[in-house]
Amino acid sequence: MKTELSRTLGIEHAIFGFTPFPAVAAALTRAGGFGVLGAVRYTAPDDLARDLDWMQEHTDGLPYGLDVVMPAKKVEGVTEAEVEAMIPEEHRAFVRATLAKHGVPELPDGEASGWRITGWMEQVARNQLDVAFDYPIKLLANALGSPPADVVARAHDHGVLVAALAGSARHARHHADAGIDIVVAQGYEAGGHTGEIASMVLTPEVVDAVSPLPVLAAGGIGSGEQIAAGLALGAQGVWLGSLWLTTTEAELHSRALTAKLLAAGSGDTVRSRALTGKPARQLRTEWTDAWDDPAGPGPLPMPLQGLLVAEAVSRIQRHEVEPLLGTPVGQIVGRMNSERSVQQVVDELTRGFEKAVDRINRIAGRSEG
């Protein structure tokens, strides 16, 4: 499963894996792929440094990368408190009522809410980069399009390739103009923030739009056969995220959530603004249904929605309130029906890839049997 890009990076398989879990990223790198650690939850630079130290110790000198969330446009002079003050009382009341309806307890005394939208603010990402560039990362990916020009230049000065996600050929051309090295063509099927064009259509459009830049296919990919399809469409690798959530190395810390993922079918996700204010594919739950109900106030725009629901999401996760419990995940969740190690997943992907290539070779009359 080698391509020009995988050879450039010195990896055995052109499988790039985005994950918030250091153990998953390191395991994928050791398995011959390319682990990419998501940095959005590291609001404290020391925490990121701790986990990058751990990555260094557990990747055997093999390459890995970091994914940040950095807007291309900067909003000057606005604090988190000022942003939070913009949230209407109607929406706060709706959150309280929804939690009360399902009997969601408060967080224990002294326990702060976990994930907050602060990880999406530019200065937080810049602090993360101040840490990351002290480590031998080989790739910097940005989930919100092209990072600012000075960040691209800084990465290149450190010999780090820069990748950006795109949901359309127009976005991809913008990335190419911004000096991005790798474009991730993320289809509608993907988990998290995603556009409206399906992977089968999007991948070749992006390949044509930015040639000769390498493209990674993303969205709805969870088998070796699908990897072969992505490469056949012109991609030089695949970018997988959801597939790692049910690996044994993942740190979901919720058996109830893992059980929901294992039981879910490909039709059990929804593209909803309930989590961040932008359309993001996630498990469909009574929480997403409440926010998407026309009778409710509807989600606020980013970043207000993320600030509004941060404590609520922490309470739901902390107390494992099953009807409301969800996570960003793609339509590939229908194939995620058993817990396996990262190495086992990679082995299955490579076997499926080989089988698909053999099948095509037989159809083309290039092999016997």
Side-chain angles (χ1 to χ4, degrees):
M1 209 182 297
K2 289 184 181 292
T3 65
E4 183 179 347
L5 179 60
S6 69
R7 293 186 181 94
T8 297
L9 289 167
I11 58 177
E12 183 178 359
H13 306 304
I15 300 172
F16 295 72
F18 163 78
T19 174
F21 307 125
V24 174
L28 177 57
T29 285
R30 292 196 307 272
F34 192 98
V36 182
L37 178 65
V40 69
R41 67 192 178 100
Y42 295 101
T43 54
D46 288 348
D47 291 340
L48 177 59
R50 177 202 64 218
D51 281 358
L52 287 177
D53 283 338
W54 188 93
M55 290 279 293
Q56 278 293 105
E57 296 171 3
H58 293 84
T59 48
D60 300 337
L62 298 168
Y64 62 90
L66 190 74
D67 180 279
V68 298
V69 179
M70 177 175 282
K73 295 181 180 179
K74 184 176 182 179
V75 179
E76 299 282 359
V78 179
T79 67
E80 180 183 341
E82 290 170 332
V83 173
E84 195 155 6
M86 301 176 189
I87 297 172
E89 177 55 33
E90 175 191 15
H91 285 75
R92 296 186 186 278
F94 181 75
V95 169
R96 291 193 295 268
T98 304
L99 295 177
K101 176 183 176 181
H102 292 273
V104 182
E106 298 283 345
L107 292 173
D109 289 343
E111 183 173 321
S113 61
W115 176 86
R116 285 181 69 81
I117 204 70
T118 48
W120 296 64
M121 302 178 89
E122 180 178 338
Q123 190 54 51
V124 173
R126 288 186 177 275
N127 292 341
Q128 292 165 349
L129 295 179
D130 288 340
V131 172
F133 287 133
D134 286 337
Y135 294 82
I137 63 171
K138 299 301 182 184
L139 177 70
L140 173 67
N142 188 37
L144 283 184
S146 304
D150 68 296
V151 172
V152 176
R154 186 180 178 191
H156 288 165
D157 287 344
H158 282 82
V160 176
L161 297 178
V162 180
L165 276 64
S168 71
R170 178 176 60 84
H171 292 156
R173 283 189 289 268
H174 175 77
H175 296 337
D177 292 342
I180 299 302
D181 304 293
I182 302 167
V183 177
V184 181
Q186 185 185 42
Y188 171 81
E189 307 95 324
H193 295 109
T194 183
E196 298 182 353
I197 304 174
S199 299
M200 183 64 73
V201 175
L202 179 66
T203 301
E205 285 187 352
V206 171
V207 168
D208 290 344
V210 301
S211 178
L213 285 184
V215 172
L216 300 179
I221 300 174
S223 72
E225 291 84 351
Q226 290 168 314
I227 294 175
L231 300 189
L233 293 172
Q236 289 198 31
V238 293
W239 177 275
L240 311 181
S242 299
L243 195 63
W244 315 111
L245 289 173
T246 52
T247 57
T248 53
E249 292 91 345
E251 303 161 33
L252 284 180
H253 302 303
S254 172
R255 293 307 304 172
L257 180 54
T258 298
K260 289 188 76 170
L261 288 168
L262 295 173
S266 55
D268 292 329
T269 68
V270 63
R271 196 163 159 269
S272 171
R273 295 170 52 216
L275 185 60
T276 68
K278 282 186 176 291
R281 187 170 298 285
Q282 54 203 279
L283 277 181
R284 182 176 180 178
T285 65
E286 293 189 30
W287 177 256
T288 62
D289 286 348
W291 282 105
D292 295 337
D293 188 341
L300 295 167
M302 180 185 281
L304 300 181
Q305 183 71 13
L307 287 169
L308 170 66
V309 305
E311 181 180 338
V313 170
S314 292
R315 288 168 59 184
I316 292 165
Q317 293 174 344
R318 174 69 168 77
H319 298 289
E320 296 192 323
V321 183
E322 197 275 341
L324 304 180
L325 189 62
T327 184
V329 69
Q331 291 179 331
I332 200 62
V333 70
R335 294 186 66 97
M336 296 158 48
N337 48 26
S338 66
E339 291 186 80
R340 297 164 295 163
S341 69
V342 170
Q343 182 67 64
Q344 288 173 317
V345 171
V346 172
D347 289 344
E348 183 175 304
L349 292 175
T350 55
R351 285 194 300 268
F353 177 81
E354 291 168 357
K355 186 164 65 172
V357 171
D358 288 344
R359 183 185 304 125
I360 295 300
N361 281 334
R362 287 196 300 271
I363 292 170
R366 293 175 182 154
S367 65
E368 297 181 0

